[in-house]
Amino acid sequence: MYLNMCLKTIFLYFLIVVAYRIMGKKEVGELSIIDLIVTILIAELAAICIEDYKSSILVSVIPILSLVILQILLSYISLKNMKIRNLIDGRPSVIIKAGKVCFKQMTKLRYSLDDLISQLREKGIKSIEEVDYAVLENSGTLSVFQKTKDYPLPIILDGVIDHEVLKEIKKDTVWVYKLLERKNLNLEDIFYAFYTKEKTYIIKKSDLI
């Protein structure tokens, strides 16, 4: 019985390590909600198999492999389609905009002022007044841009225009298309384009290795 449990544990350990290497996950802080759900389910399936020493190891291996395949498919689909990516992973939320706290957005996210101040302290920021722009990422981490620093704003991601950012920088889609036209580029050619210090920087899909 004990030998069987040990062998199952060792096998499942290496299986899960390989599974997470395939899924490309690194740290808990990088996991989205969907990733976290998959992590919990895999842990539960492994525990059930180890505790029930009489059951076949396939009872856990098959569901674990199914979850891995499902997660890889969802990751691939969300990579190709921004709408599906936003549906699965959600969108980053602006918490501080132009130095002003967005209380309505915080209430919607059930994100308290104490949470905000605590995360700012972790980044060595003493006061909200020091912050120009703060974004709550899908992982729950807070990205902070201080007033004394310039920061890049993504205007195109994988061929899709971010209209919220355009509003932020007081530009429109006409400006984007004129910019691309001057550089003889199409929207579909762009992997990433960002705006900072009143300049636009573009990374083409053909530039990727």
Side-chain angles (χ1 to χ4, degrees):
M1 177 182 72
Y2 295 112
L3 178 61
N4 188 25
M5 290 176 63
C6 288
L7 291 175
K8 280 185 176 182
T9 302
I10 293 170
F11 178 81
L12 288 169
Y13 170 78
F14 285 107
L15 175 65
I16 293 171
V17 168
V18 172
Y20 273 85
R21 296 294 290 179
I22 292 172
M23 290 191 293
K25 308 309 174 192
K26 296 179 181 179
E27 298 179 7
V28 174
E30 297 176 353
L31 300 181
S32 66
I33 292 175
I34 300 298
D35 296 329
L36 185 59
I37 292 171
V38 171
T39 298
I40 293 171
L41 288 174
I42 288 177
E44 288 294 325
L45 288 168
I48 290 170
C49 181
I50 294 170
E51 290 173 0
D52 187 1
Y53 64 90
K54 292 182 179 179
S55 66
S56 170
I57 196 169
L58 293 177
V59 172
S60 288
V61 170
I62 293 174
I64 287 173
L65 292 178
S66 299
L67 285 172
V68 171
I69 293 170
L70 176 63
Q71 181 62 14
I72 292 172
L73 287 174
L74 287 175
S75 297
Y76 180 78
I77 293 170
S78 64
L79 184 65
K80 297 296 181 180
N81 191 305
M82 179 171 283
K83 290 183 179 179
I84 294 177
R85 180 162 65 247
N86 291 337
L87 180 64
I88 293 175
D89 294 333
R91 285 179 62 90
S93 302
V94 177
I95 301 299
I96 299 176
K97 183 177 181 180
K100 297 180 181 179
V101 179
C102 304
F103 287 105
K104 288 184 179 180
Q105 186 67 13
M106 289 175 62
T107 302
K108 182 180 177 181
L109 297 170
R110 293 181 291 280
Y111 184 78
S112 70
L113 188 59
D114 287 338
D115 294 330
L116 174 60
I117 294 172
S118 175
Q119 287 194 286
L120 289 177
R121 282 201 304 265
E122 290 175 1
K123 296 181 178 296
I125 297 173
K126 300 176 182 178
S127 172
I128 293 176
E129 285 75 19
E130 298 178 31
V131 181
D132 186 32
Y133 200 87
V135 179
L136 187 63
E137 306 292 353
N138 297 333
S139 62
T141 58
L142 190 70
S143 298
V144 180
F145 304 94
Q146 293 176 261
K147 290 181 179 179
T148 56
K149 298 179 180 179
D150 294 301
Y151 50 88
L153 292 171
I155 57 175
I156 301 175
L157 180 60
D158 200 14
V160 179
I161 297 172
D162 193 321
H163 296 282
E164 292 298 321
V165 172
L166 288 183
K167 290 180 183 177
E168 180 71 21
I169 62 176
K170 296 179 175 57
K171 304 290 185 182
D172 55 23
T173 53
V174 174
W175 173 80
V176 174
Y177 285 112
K178 285 184 177 179
L179 176 69
L180 295 177
E181 186 179 353
R182 289 199 300 269
K183 296 180 179 293
N184 294 319
L185 294 171
N186 295 317
L187 187 61
E188 296 76 18
D189 299 330
I190 310 304
F191 175 72
Y192 184 66
F194 61 92
Y195 184 86
T196 184
K197 296 181 181 179
E198 299 185 354
K199 292 183 180 180
T200 305
Y201 298 86
I202 296 174
I203 299 175
K204 297 178 292 184
K205 291 180 180 178
S206 60
D207 294 332
L208 302 178
I209 298 175

